[in-house]
Amino acid sequence: TGAVTVAGLVERVEKARRGMLRLTIAPERIDGILRTAWPERVRVTSRPPDGPLEAGDFVTLKVRLAPPQGPAAPGAYDPALRLFFEGVGAT
């Protein structure tokens, strides 16, 4: 997608590289996308907010969504498969 606004409940907060945070969000609103096409969860990497952020917080972010990436080579590890079983449909 192009840039869209995603609002939802933070389910998981993980530290990523270079001081960034990886958030797993259960969306309650995704502007510009039909509700029937929303993924169950989205995973985004973001700069940390000024204050604390933890599971259960509500966030609104402007993001570009894409399907999870598949394996880098045939037979290689497939991160999209793991995300599928976690219910993550967009990153």
Side-chain angles (χ1 to χ4, degrees), residues 14-64:
E14 304 168 89
K15 292 188 181 202
R17 293 183 281 178
R18 300 183 194 135
M20 303 289 274
L21 294 178
R22 180 179 299 134
L23 308 175
T24 302
I25 302 168
E28 293 187 13
R29 187 181 92 230
I30 301 178
D31 292 346
I33 299 176
L34 294 174
R35 173 83 168 130
T36 56
W38 288 4
E40 182 180 344
R41 292 180 182 89
V42 297
R43 180 172 290 165
V44 298
T45 302
S46 173
R47 291 186 181 117
D50 292 332
L53 181 67
E54 49 192 42
D57 289 346
F58 190 88
V59 295
T60 302
L61 302 167
K62 190 84 149 184
V63 299
R64 285 185 318 243

